[in-house]
Amino acid sequence: MTKNVTSKELMGGDDDLPLYAPQKKIYPQRVSGSFRRIKWGLMALCLGVYYLLPLVRWNRGLGAPDQAVLIDFQSQRFYFFFIELWPQEFYYFTGLLILAAFTLFLMNALGGRIWCGYLCPQTVWTDLFYVVERWTEGDRRARIKADAGPLTAARLARRALKQAIWLIIAWWTGGAWVLYFSDAPTLVKDLATFQAPAIAYVWIGILTASTYLLAGHAREQVCLYMCPWPRIQAALTDEWALNVTYKYDRGEPRCSVKKGRAQRALGETAGDCVDCNQCVAVCPTGIDIRNGAQLGCIQCGLCIDACDNVMKRIGRPTRLIGYDNDINVQRRTSGKTEAFKPVRSRTVVYAALIATVCAVMLHALLTRSLLDLNVLHDRNPVAVKLSAGAIRNGYTLRFLNKRGFDRVIAVDVDGPANAQIHIVGFDSVTPDRPMIVLARDATTELRVLVTAPFDDKSEKTAPVKFRITDIGLGEVASATDHFVTP
Amino acid sequence: MSQHNDTDHISGRSTTGHEWDGIEELNTPLPRWWVLTFYATIIWAFGYWVVYPAWPLVSGYTAGVLHTTNRAAVTANLAQLEALRGEKMKALGTASLAEIENDPALLALARARGKTVFGDNCAPCHGSGAAGAKGYPNLNDDDWLWGGTLDQIMQTIQFGARSGHAKAHEGQMLAFGKDGVLKSDEIVAVANYVRSLSGLSTRKGYDAAKGEKIFADNCVACHGDRGKGNQELGAANLTDKIWLYGSDEATLIETISNGRAGVMPAWEGRLDPSTIKAMAVYVHALGGGK
Ligand code: SF4
Ligand code: SF4
């Protein structure tokens, strides 16, 4: 018989952290300082870009939309200032995604989760919602007190006001989102007069709900439980990455201001941390950074500001909490100088990869053709024997005219000797060199027949090259396929 | 079941009393909104049974008060589709064949429409790509028994050949052997002569003069002086490189002996006029149209 083991024994005693902890409500306190200023600036920039970008106009000439950034699903175009992308060029988006990933890696190698703390939409909008919360319900102390006290009418009114402003921001967020998909001024008018397509209202609804729930209610829960990035980045980081760190070599042992002064006066060492808990009070994820690096920290730097303010007041050097790495903690304790290594193989590789992808994309963008041609050989039948014995192959040619005007192009074929070309539906005056008109900013699909004489000595298959030339501009595009004999 | 009123000492919450290897299960009821949703779905199901077809019976099913059927829905959808197409198909109906060919938009529409209709109706004989087979003409090439202009193609589709329709193409290859008009050696001679017309090799020592004479006496009436064929009668051109039934000697002997009379059905009445028009344009645009 085995002895029954109690769960208490398995857990190793009462001191361990429980496996289960109900959510604690967090009341981040307002703080001011350099990192808070950086956050304000970045918040203004991100929100400004997001809300205003669809309203920026860009003149593209007749028939093309005047919106600088537009994802036009209906005509399958993506406009970004002077760039116009077609569905065939979707690889640019792949490039952008790769670029985004490597940039994230690089940021992570340099400064840990700075993306999380400063630029992540979840952070930006949550931060904005906190501003509203502080404005309506007061700062940390007032909110804690109000939550503990009875639900008075005044408090209810403040709460309602907060929810209303949250909803307005959320709704505006959804509204700005749909503006990226249609001509913004027209859509705004249509939305206001209830003429807009139902899908626009649906998306505004979805984005309103998700913004309200994520930024208003889920908040740090997203960072702690939903977001995969903290798990991934833990595998990507190394000991040189700068993280928000409590320099315990300087802060410990914690002691009161008075005691610290007294000890230092006697020439003894004393920790700088006065255990005021300001760093915990301001933390939007509610953690104590003095416990060391942890998953909950989004690297927002607000605890640095909080602690710096305390240090200034008690006349001690600032940056008891700061962007630092564990190596330095060890180096300082063993009397060595601090060391930072932003340039190391990891960051160099990331930077090189970013530069390469950028260069490739830029090159592709600058050399992209505005006239394009695709060929599809007939499959059934692959080749046709004509009454005089010649062989004919049919092709579907797809012409892409990415310019904003109609153009006349000539179609030539280099293929088997003496090959003749005929475009179905276009009886050209110059039969050897058919000319067609390509509509502006559109694809044109035409059936093209190539006929070549055939005898027993003819090759079974021969390459055939279609070349199209813009008669006016001289732009050329070509595509190669095969000429098959039965 | 043992009686239990255990409490988990870590979370301070009650447990179900179930324990496996020292791990106890917390008593965590489903959230209320979840349970309510569950009840709502049950109520919903009752409503659904009443409104929509639901329960299979011995010889049928409960129809539901809305009398919804998938068949009715499909019919309605098809009618809607026809109405949608109506406008465009009307344009096909009013334009002339030549106008359709010269208007890229109409041509594209006719080809698209023609392709689907061809697949449904013509592919069994002519093949999905209209490449034909033995006895079924390849519509991609430039050899036409009954003519390859737009109008001629249209006429053939409309009325067919030997289809029994009053306006159908008539004319057939006679069975010279079966009917006792020609004897075996004469058939061999004329078969080889016909092969020579298109430059194919002939049997060693065959009597060319005899073949020519037999051809002149029996065949020129339909196939013409030099064997060039006659589209009025659907008589094949015997001088080109395209053979509907095959050009080897045995096949030719069989053709001359037993005759040929392939049937092309008339599509008038089975397909509406604008669809037939679309099909004519499609076939013409396959590349062999004159
Ligand atoms: S510990 Fe500091 S840096 Fe990390 S999330 Fe909290 S306030 Fe921000
Ligand atoms: S804010 Fe600074 S001094 Fe105050 S508890 Fe945090 S680390 Fe210590």
Side-chain angles (χ1 to χ4, degrees):
Chain A
M1 274 275 279
T2 48
K3 190 177 157 280
N4 272 343
V5 185
T6 64
S7 55
K8 189 168 170 173
E9 279 168 321
L10 277 172
M11 294 287 294
D14 274 339
D15 295 340
D16 279 19
L17 283 174
L19 294 172
Y20 167 85
Q23 187 199 342
K24 276 187 303 185
K25 193 158 185 220
I26 298 169
Y27 303 87
Q29 187 177 315
R30 193 189 150 86
V31 66
S32 57
S34 36
F35 290 98
R36 182 65 260 187
R37 271 197 298 281
I38 295 174
K39 266 174 80 71
W40 285 137
L42 288 172
M43 184 205 268
L45 183 75
C46 293
L47 293 176
V49 167
Y50 177 75
Y51 288 119
L52 300 178
L53 198 55
L55 301 174
V56 178
R57 302 287 94 192
W58 192 267
N59 188 6
R60 287 197 181 81
L62 206 69
D66 287 336
Q67 190 154 319
V69 180
L70 180 66
I71 302 156
D72 191 345
F73 273 117
Q74 207 138 48
S75 47
Q76 306 199 330
R77 297 283 184 279
F78 172 67
Y79 300 94
F80 187 83
F81 294 91
F82 59 96
I83 303 171
E84 176 192 335
L85 294 185
W86 284 43
Q88 289 86 346
E89 295 160 323
F90 207 73
Y91 46 78
Y92 286 109
F93 294 96
T94 316
L96 277 183
L97 287 181
I98 296 173
L99 215 52
F102 282 128
T103 311
L104 201 54
F105 294 172
L106 180 61
M107 281 163 91
N108 183 56
L110 291 173
R113 287 169 69 185
I114 39 179
W115 160 262
C116 301
Y118 299 92
L119 293 166
C120 173
Q122 173 65 21
T123 293
V124 171
W125 262 274
T126 303
D127 220 15
L128 180 65
F129 275 42
Y130 272 132
V131 174
V132 175
E133 190 164 84
R134 280 189 209 109
W135 184 69
T136 50
E137 296 190 273
D139 205 355
R140 176 181 164 87
R141 248 180 267 271
R143 274 180 285 150
I144 294 178
K145 215 173 110 202
D147 275 357
L151 191 65
T152 61
R155 202 183 146 222
L156 209 59
R158 277 201 296 275
R159 261 195 173 185
L161 178 63
K162 174 181 84 175
Q163 303 288 346
I165 300 176
W166 277 2
L167 275 171
I168 289 172
I169 297 174
W171 166 78
W172 200 9
T173 307
W177 172 262
V178 298
L179 295 186
Y180 284 91
F181 297 88
S182 182
D183 181 57
T186 322
L187 187 59
V188 169
K189 207 172 74 206
D190 288 350
L191 283 170
T193 54
F194 296 102
Q195 306 282 309
I199 189 75
Y201 295 103
V202 170
W203 271 106
I204 293 178
I206 292 173
L207 267 282
T208 306
S210 53
T211 309
Y212 173 74
L213 286 175
L214 291 179
H217 295 280
R219 299 180 164 184
E220 80 284 349
Q221 302 282 311
V222 175
C223 311
L224 299 183
Y225 300 115
M226 299 186 203
C227 178
W229 182 231
R231 280 89 186 161
I232 300 169
Q233 76 94 34
L236 285 166
T237 194
D238 61 14
E239 70 275 22
W240 288 106
L242 290 178
N243 283 306
V244 173
T245 312
Y246 166 70
K247 299 170 185 165
Y248 62 79
D249 56 310
R250 216 190 102 186
E252 304 291 320
R254 301 168 198 177
C255 53
S256 70
V257 188
K258 221 191 247 161
K259 192 171 159 218
R261 279 203 192 115
Q263 255 173 307
R264 275 187 281 273
L266 293 172
E268 288 171 37
T269 51
D272 274 342
C273 175
V274 295
D275 217 355
C276 64
N277 261 318
Q278 281 303 298
C279 50
V280 181
V282 300
C283 178
T285 61
I287 59 167
D288 187 344
I289 192 64
R290 292 171 301 168
N291 292 337
Q294 51 206 289
L295 182 135
C297 177
I298 58 167
Q299 305 278 316
C300 63
L302 294 183
C303 53
I304 304 180
D305 283 344
C307 190
D308 278 0
N309 292 342
V310 174
M311 290 299 123
K312 275 181 220 151
R313 217 174 314 136
I314 65 170
R316 298 293 302 162
T318 57
R319 292 300 141 86
L320 172 55
I321 303 177
Y323 277 96
D324 199 3
N325 53 41
D326 287 344
I327 288 183
N328 277 334
V329 177
Q330 283 158 20
R331 289 178 74 96
R332 281 191 303 265
T333 3
S334 52
K336 287 190 224 156
T337 51
E338 295 188 345
F340 298 98
K341 235 165 114 181
V343 181
R344 51 192 202 274
S345 53
R346 184 186 286 263
T347 54
V348 170
V349 169
Y350 288 151
L353 283 170
I354 290 172
T356 313
V357 177
C358 275
V360 168
M361 280 178 59
L362 206 64
H363 178 261
L365 198 63
L366 292 177
T367 57
R368 82 194 259 270
S369 68
L370 297 174
L371 182 68
D372 221 339
L373 178 67
N374 295 317
V375 196
L376 191 71
H377 194 292
D378 274 8
R379 277 154 203 265
N380 183 10
V382 282
V384 176
K385 192 176 182 187
L386 298 182
S387 52
I391 302 300
R392 197 183 59 208
N393 279 199
Y395 305 85
T396 302
L397 261 59
R398 184 195 279 174
F399 306 86
L400 287 76
N401 177 9
K402 297 180 192 168
R403 286 198 187 271
F405 45 81
D406 296 357
R407 57 213 310 210
V408 179
I409 61 139
V411 184
D412 297 296
V413 62
D414 301 328
N418 299 318
Q420 297 263 340
I421 179 170
H422 171 68
I423 301 180
V424 177
F426 278 80
D427 286 315
S428 179
V429 268
T430 48
D432 291 348
R433 200 179 192 220
M435 300 209 186
I436 56 175
V437 178
L438 295 186
R440 64 165 178 247
D441 196 34
T443 48
T444 311
E445 224 174 61
L446 291 174
R447 194 170 146 72
V448 174
L449 304 172
V450 175
T451 310
F454 177 68
D455 56 52
D456 295 338
K457 287 191 286 301
S458 300
E459 292 283 343
K460 198 92 179 89
T461 62
V464 52
K465 184 177 180 191
F466 295 95
R467 195 158 27 83
I468 58 175
T469 316
D470 183 312
I471 292 300
L473 298 173
E475 260 176 65
V476 176
S478 64
T480 315
D481 206 297
H482 289 284
F483 187 87
V484 186
T485 55
Chain B
M1 261 277 201
S2 62
Q3 175 256 347
H4 66 273
N5 51 2
D6 302 330
T7 310
D8 175 53
H9 77 282
I10 295 171
S11 62
R13 293 168 50 176
S14 70
T15 71
T16 59
H18 304 164
E19 183 186 313
W20 295 271
D21 291 345
I23 299 170
E24 289 168 49
E25 184 184 21
L26 287 186
N27 183 12
T28 311
L30 287 171
R32 187 191 305 267
W33 66 267
W34 185 297
V35 177
L36 289 179
T37 311
F38 176 57
Y39 292 147
T41 59
I42 293 174
I43 295 165
W44 175 268
F46 281 105
Y48 200 94
W49 293 340
V50 175
V51 174
Y52 285 105
W55 287 93
L57 304 176
V58 179
S59 58
Y61 54 89
T62 56
V65 295
L66 285 188
H67 295 291
T68 317
T69 71
N70 286 354
R71 185 179 294 274
V74 170
T75 318
N77 281 351
L78 282 179
Q80 213 178 356
L81 186 68
E82 280 308 314
L84 260 176
R85 281 189 187 151
E87 280 302 303
K88 290 185 164 181
M89 289 306 286
K90 220 189 277 162
L92 274 190
T94 48
S96 75
L97 286 169
E99 278 165 6
I100 297 174
E101 279 240 317
N102 290 325
D103 179 334
L106 277 181
L107 177 66
L109 174 64
R111 285 187 54 206
R113 174 78 173 148
K115 192 180 167 74
T116 44
V117 180
F118 189 93
D120 290 346
N121 298 285
C122 318
C125 294
H126 290 284
S128 59
K134 185 175 173 179
Y136 301 100
N138 181 349
L139 304 177
N140 292 279
D141 64 26
D142 58 345
D143 189 29
W144 296 91
L145 283 175
W146 305 98
T149 66
L150 268 173
D151 289 320
Q152 285 168 325
I153 293 173
M154 170 107 168
Q155 199 196 354
T156 307
I157 297 172
Q158 256 181 315
F159 309 122
R162 307 174 197 100
S163 63
H165 192 284
K167 293 191 196 162
H169 293 308
E170 293 298 345
Q172 51 186 306
M173 172 75 192
L174 300 175
F176 289 93
K178 210 160 71 182
D179 295 348
V181 182
L182 296 177
K183 287 196 279 299
S184 302
D185 61 323
E186 292 171 320
I187 293 174
V188 171
V190 79
N192 276 284
Y193 174 71
V194 166
R195 275 174 64 83
S196 76
L197 286 179
S198 56
L200 295 168
S201 64
T202 51
R203 182 189 285 213
K204 223 185 252 158
Y206 99 99
D207 192 339
K210 183 173 161 193
E212 187 173 2
K213 172 136 184 8
I214 298 167
F215 190 84
D217 291 347
N218 298 282
C219 312
V220 285
C222 294
H223 289 284
D225 240 355
R226 319 193 102 88
K228 288 270 185 212
N230 182 349
Q231 291 183 345
E232 293 288 299
L233 301 168
N237 181 350
L238 304 177
T239 64
D240 65 16
K241 303 271 193 267
I242 292 170
W243 297 84
L244 185 54
Y245 290 94
S247 64
D248 59 303
E249 193 193 35
T251 307
L252 275 176
I253 290 174
E254 195 204 328
T255 303
I256 299 167
S257 302
N258 299 327
R260 300 284 186 190
V263 171
M264 158 87 180
W267 292 95
E268 197 187 49
R270 291 198 242 181
L271 299 175
D272 65 273
S274 44
T275 300
I276 291 183
K277 231 183 216 180
M279 211 136 70
V281 171
Y282 169 70
V283 170
H284 189 255
L286 285 174
K290 305 266 167 169

